Amino acid sequence: MPEVIVYAVEGRTPEQKKMLMQKITTAVHESFGTQPDRIVVQIVEAKADNKTRGGVLYSER
């Protein structure tokens, strides 16, 4: 059972997240041959003030 975890800064709509999870499921199904109902996709969201890139908070970008 493949499991894909996506880490992202919060702010996407539920529709955007659903679309991403559906496309990842399709890609894993096509690449691995795993049945879609056996594929787990999870989005882990971080607050923009809890994540940095190059030492700069995402909330300050």
Side-chain angles (χ1 to χ4, degrees):
M1 171 172 49
E3 185 168 347
V4 178
I5 301 172
V6 177
Y7 293 94
V9 174
E10 66 183 1
R12 275 61 175 209
T13 66
E15 294 80 14
Q16 289 173 314
K17 292 185 278 188
K18 181 179 178 180
M19 182 185 305
L20 175 64
M21 290 187 280
Q22 289 173 336
K23 289 184 177 190
I24 290 172
T25 299
T26 299
V28 172
H29 169 67
E30 291 174 355
S31 299
F32 287 3
T34 307
Q35 292 303 310
D37 66 340
R38 304 295 296 163
I39 300 166
V40 176
V41 180
Q42 178 181 1
I43 298 174
V44 178
E45 295 182 297
K47 294 192 176 292
D49 59 353
N50 289 341
K51 189 169 186 169
T52 66
R53 182 175 179 190
V56 178
L57 288 170
Y58 274 72
S59 60
E60 296 175 353
R61 292 178 167 269

